[in-house]
Amino acid sequence: MLAILSIIDGLVNIYVLLIIIRALLSWIPISSKYRQAVYLLKNITDPVIIPCQKALPPSKTGGLDLSPIIAIFGITFIWKIILSILL
C-alpha cells in the first residue's frame, strides 16, 4: 500500500510541476517548433486549470490569472487530506 501511495505522490508532484511549467510558458513567446509540446501540456493541465479560471476569472483579478496557484493549492490540499486518511 505504501508503495502505491508513493507512486501516486510522485505523479501528483509531476502534475504540479506541469502546471508550474504551463504558467511560466504563458509569459514567453513560443516558437512554432515547440507548439505541439505546449499544446500537449495544455491538454494535460486543462482539466484542472479551466474550472479554476471559471471560479476566479482573470477579469476579476485585474487581468492576473491566478488559476495555476489555485489549482496547485487545491491539488496539494486534497492529496494531503487523502494521505492523512489512508495513513
Side-chain angles (χ1 to χ4, degrees), residues 5-86:
L5 290 176
S6 178
I7 291 170
I8 295 172
D9 187 53
L11 292 174
V12 168
N13 289 331
I14 290 170
Y15 197 76
V16 167
L17 182 63
L18 291 176
I19 292 172
I20 292 169
I21 291 170
R22 176 187 171 152
L24 293 175
L25 287 177
S26 70
W27 295 346
I28 58 174
I30 304 298
S31 70
S32 60
K33 70 178 184 177
Y34 296 113
R35 286 206 177 130
Q36 287 182 340
V38 173
Y39 180 75
L40 177 65
L41 180 65
K42 285 185 178 184
N43 281 338
I44 292 170
T45 57
D46 271 351
V48 174
I49 295 292
I50 289 176
C52 294
Q53 286 175 337
K54 289 181 181 177
L56 190 64
S59 61
K60 293 190 177 192
T61 59
L64 187 62
D65 186 12
L66 299 176
S67 59
I69 296 170
I70 295 168
I72 290 170
F73 282 136
I75 290 169
T76 305
F77 181 73
I78 291 169
W79 179 238
K80 296 296 180 186
I81 289 173
I82 292 170
L83 278 179
S84 68
I85 292 170
L86 294 176

